[in-house]
Amino acid sequence: MIGRHLEFCRNQFRLGPLDFDFSAPGIYRVLGANGSGKSTLLKLLSRRLNKSAGELLLPSGPIATLGIEPLFPLSWTGHQALLWTQKLTARSLRRQDFLGPTRKYQERRFLELSTGQRRQVELSILLSHDFEFYLLDEALECLDSEQRPLYENHLLYCASEGARVIFTSHHQGQLSPQESLSL
Amino acid sequence: MKKFYALFCKDFSQLRDSGLSALFFGIPIFFLFSMAADFFDRPMNYESLSFWVVFFIGQTSLLYRSFSLEQRFQCFHVYSAWGVPNSSIFWSQTLCNWLGGILLGLFYLLLANLFGKTPLSFNLDFLICLLAVSLAMAPLGTLLSLLLQVEREFLFGLFFLPASIPVFLAALSITEGQNPSTWMYILFIFILISGGLSSFLFEFFFDELTQSH
């Protein structure tokens, strides 16, 4: 993921020009105040928006996204979502399927889970697959202080295995980025 | 192929909801038709006419609900983020709509014979006609359902029914044995054009219509 003089404009909103290079494995943080365009940048990186100007090089394979838009239909169970992800992304499982605490939620529908529990299951599903890019838009914000370190450690592990984790967050936690992009 | 299978499984499970409501939707319409026909003089060819009218209304109800899961939960973005080919999304939904149309037709045939006085015969010609009619409507309905999504769904009936009038006329004429080979030929041409054009337009519009706001 490389951006050169990347710009996005819609109505009154204007983002960029931005220059960045997220091609090396590691953790990247996108910083900025509310409304500065952090989520917009992640939408551009996940092919959800088209750039207005500049250059944007994106990988051809699947990108794991969380927090940008709803990930799975709420009427599905975690187990259904896991199978769907596995088939649709054609990614192999990185380690175990569901992380310890979320195992008990896997047969429950997303509708029946709280926001935090739902986020844990979604994170669990994404982290269990071998994605090269993880785009997380304030994805860890709704996790409690007990669960958050577990997922942060998993993200660090993924980065050490060659993944690129690009996240926006107002709280850094344990994720120490190798590079930050300020908007 | 795995991706197509995953999409097909999702669409097929969704078909259970949309198909069931379309199936039950047909019962009161057949009943009303039957009552109206008994009240006035039962017109000629009443059975096949009422069958195809109800089938078209049922099909509209079924096709209208294409991508309902994605629209309801606003989760279109996995397709772009995970690099799923647009053609797979289109053909998987079309295939499910086609199968749904066939099942709908078979169930309505049962109802038509239940409410009608002269039974409609179920033979190979009828089955081929049903397969072709459903195949002609499925791609067009899938495309229109995507094009008219979000706040414009009410236009579906207005666009879909006029566009499928040739299919309706062909279905009626083939069942009644009026120039069946000519109408089958027209139906075949319609399938090719609507399938090719819908697939092309879907490819063109999918990213734009499902883009984030």
Side-chain angles (χ1 to χ4, degrees):
Chain A
M1 284 181 181
I2 300 170
R4 299 269 174 266
H5 310 297
L6 179 69
E7 284 182 60
F8 176 78
C9 305
R10 185 180 278 177
N11 303 328
Q12 303 294 317
F13 180 75
R14 188 184 173 89
L15 175 69
L18 298 172
D19 289 280
F20 55 84
D21 184 349
F22 299 143
S23 51
I27 307 268
Y28 299 90
R29 185 179 184 192
V30 182
L31 288 161
N34 291 338
S36 59
K38 301 186 294 295
S39 302
T40 304
L41 176 63
L42 293 197
K43 282 180 181 176
L44 284 163
L45 297 179
S46 63
R47 310 184 192 105
R48 289 298 292 152
L49 289 174
N50 290 328
K51 63 183 168 63
S52 304
E55 199 182 336
L56 180 61
L57 293 177
L58 295 175
S60 55
I63 299 165
T65 61
L66 194 57
I68 297 172
E69 279 172 43
L71 192 57
F72 303 113
L74 295 181
S75 55
W76 283 8
T77 63
H79 188 67
Q80 270 180 297
L82 178 84
L83 293 177
W84 160 257
T85 308
Q86 217 167 327
K87 284 178 191 155
L88 211 59
T89 60
R91 301 274 101 177
S92 53
L93 282 177
R94 194 183 283 276
R95 282 209 301 201
Q96 73 232 60
D97 47 6
F98 281 90
L99 296 177
T102 59
R103 194 166 285 276
K104 58 180 180 278
Y105 307 136
Q106 62 175 305
E107 293 305 332
R108 283 170 62 184
R109 297 195 303 161
F110 285 107
L111 274 171
E112 299 162 12
L113 300 175
S114 73
T115 310
Q117 290 170 332
R118 194 182 302 159
R119 183 52 52 86
Q120 284 182 51
V121 177
E122 289 171 337
L123 265 169
S124 216
I125 290 170
L126 291 183
L127 290 173
S128 62
H129 288 84
D130 194 12
F131 285 103
E132 284 147 19
F133 287 90
Y134 290 87
L135 303 180
L136 309 175
D137 189 15
E138 299 187 15
L140 306 176
E141 304 299 288
C142 53
L143 301 183
D144 60 47
S145 53
E146 266 182 51
Q147 301 301 331
R148 189 174 167 130
L150 173 81
Y151 292 98
E152 286 175 338
N153 285 334
H154 271 274
L155 285 169
L156 288 169
Y157 167 76
C158 292
S160 71
E161 290 280 293
R164 293 86 169 156
V165 178
I166 301 148
F167 74 104
T168 69
S169 173
H170 295 286
H171 313 283
Q172 186 162 310
Q174 291 180 25
L175 290 177
S176 45
Q178 65 187 60
E179 207 177 299
S180 293
L181 175 68
S182 296
L183 303 180
Chain B
M1 204 60 203
K2 259 187 178 178
K3 285 187 182 184
F4 187 82
Y5 178 68
L7 287 167
F8 181 75
C9 289
K10 184 265 302 170
D11 291 332
F12 197 75
S13 67
Q14 191 185 317
L15 182 67
R16 275 183 309 195
D17 301 329
S18 52
L20 267 179
S21 60
L23 282 181
F24 290 117
F25 186 48
I27 298 173
I29 304 176
F30 267 114
F31 182 69
L32 289 172
F33 262 112
S34 177
M35 266 194 357
D38 286 342
F39 192 72
F40 300 104
D41 284 337
R42 191 170 281 252
M44 276 178 68
N45 310 331
Y46 158 77
E47 271 73 22
S48 57
L49 182 68
S50 65
F51 170 81
W52 286 115
V53 168
V54 178
F55 178 77
F56 269 71
I57 296 172
Q59 270 283 73
T60 308
S61 150
L62 178 83
L63 297 171
Y64 167 80
R65 290 183 172 87
S66 305
F67 304 110
S68 60
L69 200 68
E70 289 89 342
Q71 286 183 32
R72 187 174 159 208
F73 297 109
Q74 291 298 303
C75 52
F76 266 114
H77 93 288
V78 286
Y79 297 134
S80 47
W82 292 353
V84 180
N86 295 351
S87 56
S88 298
I89 301 166
F90 174 76
W91 287 112
S92 134
Q93 186 69 66
T94 301
L95 183 62
C96 273
N97 285 338
W98 182 46
L99 293 175
I102 296 165
L103 293 175
L104 210 60
L106 294 175
F107 181 73
Y108 285 169
L109 180 70
L110 202 75
L111 288 180
N113 287 337
L114 200 71
F115 287 104
K117 284 188 177 156
T118 327
L120 274 173
S121 56
F122 177 69
N123 51 30
L124 187 65
D125 287 346
F126 178 84
L127 188 65
I128 291 171
C129 178
L130 180 63
L131 293 178
V133 167
S134 186
L135 186 59
M137 293 169 81
L140 191 66
T142 305
L143 173 74
L144 278 176
S145 178
L146 177 86
L147 290 180
L148 303 175
Q149 63 160 320
V150 192
E151 294 167 9
R152 284 168 289 172
E153 298 100 329
F154 64 95
L155 291 172
F156 184 88
L158 289 179
F159 283 92
F160 180 68
L161 287 178
S164 52
I165 278 176
V167 185
F168 177 75
L169 293 176
L172 202 59
S173 303
I174 293 167
T175 323
E176 287 301 316
Q178 293 170 357
N179 298 324
S181 55
T182 312
W183 280 108
M184 194 52 106
Y185 181 71
I186 292 170
L187 205 53
F188 180 69
I189 300 284
F190 190 93
I191 290 169
L192 287 181
I193 294 174
S194 78
L197 198 67
S198 302
S199 170
F200 172 75
L201 290 175
F202 187 91
E203 191 83 28
F204 190 73
F205 283 114
F206 184 77
D207 291 332
E208 188 191 321
L209 286 169
T210 61
Q211 240 193 20
S212 185
H213 298 288

